[in-house]
Amino acid sequence: MERLTVIILICLLAGLSECEEMGDQNEINQNLITELSYEDTKAENNNDVSADPGSETPATRTVNKTTDHSCEPNIYMVLKELGALEERQKATVRALEETNRKLEASERKVAALNSTLTELRTTYEGQRQVAFSAALPTDATIGPANFLYPLVYRHVLYNVGGHYSPVTGYFTAPVQGVYYFTFSSFWWGRNTGNSGGSLYHNGNRIVSWYGHSQAHPISGSNSAVLMLQVGDKVNVRLWENRQISDNGNKYCTFTGFLLFPM
């Protein structure tokens, strides 16, 4: 746009120079016409001596028909067009600045949306990564007890997300969804008695195992698929007056994981 303005100014100056040259040429032509008129008048006066002195002579009747080619209208038009061009240029600049502001605002919104989307994706993926497995770290027999004994599987094999507590033995659901749980048990059976227990969901018995033997070791297991809400708790409890045994082989385990969120 600045180059166009410069070009217009150069053209304007060139036009002014041309007009000045035309003006000088017109002045020369005017002088020649005057001289020619004077010579013609002198010749006619010599031929017509009796002419009335008070009458008009051809010299006085000579009309200057030369036209002064003024450049002022063209200059005004160029200046007017130049002013209109500058206004259009300013309007274009304002429009571009407004467009740039809108683009910057849109870019900020897109960046914010991308950040939010990344956070949601990270949260969602983190919620989907829910799984644990733990074993009883004891080389002895637990029980019998005269109450429902919560089993605490302290030897953690895997606990992604940290939603199983090796202190309390409870799994706490971090997200609403469908979960799978399984547990296994073992008892030496060396003394008269039996073994049994259940999987509990928020204090409600879900599935159980039971075994009885007076001379041989017994084992049991069970599993369940549960629909859990956020904050629901699941654990395994030993029945009253029952026993469970384990050693370094880790016969007794408690495992669970998220199948899919809801």
Short mmCIF file of all heavy atoms in Angstrom, two decimals, residues 9 25 29 55 57 59 62 69-70 100 107 126 161 167-168 170 174 186 244 246-247 255:
data_model
loop_
_atom_site.label_atom_id
_atom_site.label_comp_id
_atom_site.label_asym_id
_atom_site.label_seq_id
_atom_site.Cartn_x
_atom_site.Cartn_y
_atom_site.Cartn_z
N LEU A 9 2.17 9.70 -5.89
CA LEU A 9 2.85 10.99 -5.68
C LEU A 9 3.81 11.30 -6.83
O LEU A 9 3.90 12.44 -7.30
CB LEU A 9 3.60 10.96 -4.36
CG LEU A 9 2.72 10.98 -3.10
CD1 LEU A 9 3.59 10.82 -1.87
CD2 LEU A 9 1.91 12.27 -3.03
N GLN A 25 4.79 26.84 -22.90
CA GLN A 25 4.54 26.77 -24.34
C GLN A 25 3.38 27.66 -24.73
O GLN A 25 3.41 28.34 -25.77
CB GLN A 25 4.26 25.31 -24.74
CG GLN A 25 4.11 25.12 -26.24
CD GLN A 25 5.41 25.42 -26.98
OE1 GLN A 25 6.49 25.13 -26.48
NE2 GLN A 25 5.31 26.05 -28.16
N ASN A 29 3.37 30.75 -27.43
CA ASN A 29 2.38 30.84 -28.52
C ASN A 29 1.61 32.16 -28.44
O ASN A 29 1.29 32.77 -29.47
CB ASN A 29 1.42 29.66 -28.45
CG ASN A 29 2.12 28.34 -28.75
OD1 ASN A 29 3.16 28.32 -29.41
ND2 ASN A 29 1.53 27.24 -28.28
N SER A 55 -12.32 53.99 -35.25
CA SER A 55 -12.89 52.66 -35.44
C SER A 55 -11.93 51.61 -34.92
O SER A 55 -10.75 51.85 -34.74
CB SER A 55 -13.18 52.43 -36.92
OG SER A 55 -11.96 52.46 -37.64
N THR A 57 -9.59 48.52 -34.88
CA THR A 57 -8.62 47.91 -35.78
C THR A 57 -8.62 46.43 -35.58
O THR A 57 -9.09 45.92 -34.56
CB THR A 57 -7.21 48.48 -35.50
OG1 THR A 57 -6.84 48.09 -34.19
CG2 THR A 57 -7.18 49.98 -35.65
N ALA A 59 -6.24 44.71 -34.89
CA ALA A 59 -5.44 44.36 -33.71
C ALA A 59 -6.29 44.37 -32.48
O ALA A 59 -6.15 43.52 -31.60
CB ALA A 59 -4.26 45.33 -33.58
N THR A 62 -8.54 41.46 -32.37
CA THR A 62 -7.92 40.14 -32.23
C THR A 62 -8.28 39.55 -30.87
O THR A 62 -8.14 40.20 -29.85
CB THR A 62 -6.40 40.25 -32.34
OG1 THR A 62 -6.08 40.81 -33.61
CG2 THR A 62 -5.75 38.87 -32.20
N HIS A 69 -4.37 25.91 -20.19
CA HIS A 69 -4.64 24.55 -19.71
C HIS A 69 -4.25 24.47 -18.24
O HIS A 69 -3.09 24.27 -17.91
CB HIS A 69 -3.85 23.53 -20.54
CG HIS A 69 -4.24 23.53 -21.98
ND1 HIS A 69 -5.35 22.87 -22.45
CD2 HIS A 69 -3.67 24.13 -23.06
CE1 HIS A 69 -5.44 23.03 -23.76
NE2 HIS A 69 -4.43 23.81 -24.15
N SER A 70 -5.19 24.76 -17.44
CA SER A 70 -4.91 24.73 -15.99
C SER A 70 -4.89 23.28 -15.50
O SER A 70 -5.67 22.46 -15.92
CB SER A 70 -5.99 25.51 -15.23
OG SER A 70 -5.76 25.41 -13.85
N ASN A 100 -6.89 -10.20 13.33
CA ASN A 100 -5.80 -10.78 14.12
C ASN A 100 -6.21 -10.98 15.57
O ASN A 100 -5.88 -12.01 16.19
CB ASN A 100 -4.57 -9.88 14.04
CG ASN A 100 -3.89 -9.93 12.69
OD1 ASN A 100 -4.01 -10.92 11.97
ND2 ASN A 100 -3.18 -8.87 12.34
N GLU A 107 -7.30 -18.88 18.96
CA GLU A 107 -6.17 -19.74 19.29
C GLU A 107 -6.11 -20.01 20.79
O GLU A 107 -5.81 -21.14 21.21
CB GLU A 107 -4.86 -19.10 18.81
CG GLU A 107 -4.71 -19.09 17.30
CD GLU A 107 -3.46 -18.35 16.86
OE1 GLU A 107 -2.79 -17.77 17.75
OE2 GLU A 107 -3.15 -18.36 15.66
N GLY A 126 -6.62 -42.88 33.46
CA GLY A 126 -6.23 -43.26 34.81
C GLY A 126 -7.33 -44.04 35.53
O GLY A 126 -7.06 -44.98 36.28
N GLY A 161 -3.07 -47.79 40.54
CA GLY A 161 -4.06 -46.82 41.01
C GLY A 161 -4.12 -46.71 42.52
O GLY A 161 -4.63 -45.73 43.05
N VAL A 167 -3.53 -52.13 54.37
CA VAL A 167 -3.67 -51.88 55.81
C VAL A 167 -5.02 -52.37 56.31
O VAL A 167 -5.12 -53.02 57.37
CB VAL A 167 -3.50 -50.38 56.12
CG1 VAL A 167 -3.73 -50.10 57.61
CG2 VAL A 167 -2.12 -49.90 55.70
N THR A 168 -6.08 -52.10 55.54
CA THR A 168 -7.43 -52.49 55.96
C THR A 168 -7.93 -53.74 55.23
O THR A 168 -8.88 -54.39 55.70
CB THR A 168 -8.42 -51.35 55.70
OG1 THR A 168 -8.49 -51.09 54.29
CG2 THR A 168 -7.98 -50.07 56.42
N TYR A 170 -9.39 -53.56 52.30
CA TYR A 170 -10.55 -53.13 51.52
C TYR A 170 -10.10 -52.58 50.15
O TYR A 170 -9.09 -51.88 50.05
CB TYR A 170 -11.33 -52.04 52.24
CG TYR A 170 -12.24 -52.53 53.33
CD1 TYR A 170 -11.75 -52.73 54.62
CD2 TYR A 170 -13.58 -52.81 53.09
CE1 TYR A 170 -12.59 -53.18 55.65
CE2 TYR A 170 -14.42 -53.26 54.10
CZ TYR A 170 -13.92 -53.45 55.37
OH TYR A 170 -14.74 -53.91 56.37
N PRO A 174 -12.85 -46.47 42.50
CA PRO A 174 -12.58 -45.07 42.15
C PRO A 174 -13.54 -44.51 41.12
O PRO A 174 -13.65 -43.29 40.94
CB PRO A 174 -11.16 -45.13 41.58
CG PRO A 174 -11.08 -46.48 40.95
CD PRO A 174 -11.92 -47.38 41.82
N PHE A 186 -6.97 -71.51 51.62
CA PHE A 186 -6.32 -72.79 51.90
C PHE A 186 -6.31 -73.02 53.43
O PHE A 186 -6.18 -72.06 54.19
CB PHE A 186 -4.88 -72.78 51.37
CG PHE A 186 -4.10 -74.00 51.67
CD1 PHE A 186 -4.25 -75.13 50.89
CD2 PHE A 186 -3.22 -74.04 52.75
CE1 PHE A 186 -3.53 -76.28 51.18
CE2 PHE A 186 -2.50 -75.18 53.04
CZ PHE A 186 -2.65 -76.30 52.25
N ILE A 244 -8.06 -70.35 58.34
CA ILE A 244 -7.42 -70.22 57.03
C ILE A 244 -5.92 -70.23 57.26
O ILE A 244 -5.43 -69.71 58.27
CB ILE A 244 -7.89 -68.94 56.30
CG1 ILE A 244 -7.40 -68.95 54.84
CG2 ILE A 244 -7.43 -67.68 57.02
CD1 ILE A 244 -8.01 -67.83 54.00
N ASP A 246 -1.72 -70.28 55.46
CA ASP A 246 -0.89 -69.91 54.31
C ASP A 246 0.57 -70.02 54.72
O ASP A 246 0.90 -70.17 55.90
CB ASP A 246 -1.21 -68.49 53.82
CG ASP A 246 -0.91 -68.31 52.33
OD1 ASP A 246 -0.16 -69.13 51.77
OD2 ASP A 246 -1.42 -67.34 51.74
N ASN A 247 1.45 -69.96 53.72
CA ASN A 247 2.88 -69.89 53.98
C ASN A 247 3.52 -69.11 52.83
O ASN A 247 2.83 -68.37 52.11
CB ASN A 247 3.48 -71.30 54.12
CG ASN A 247 3.22 -72.16 52.91
OD1 ASN A 247 2.95 -71.65 51.83
ND2 ASN A 247 3.30 -73.47 53.09
N THR A 255 -7.98 -60.76 44.45
CA THR A 255 -7.67 -60.06 43.19
C THR A 255 -8.93 -59.38 42.65
O THR A 255 -10.04 -59.91 42.79
CB THR A 255 -7.15 -61.04 42.12
OG1 THR A 255 -5.95 -61.67 42.61
CG2 THR A 255 -6.85 -60.34 40.80
#
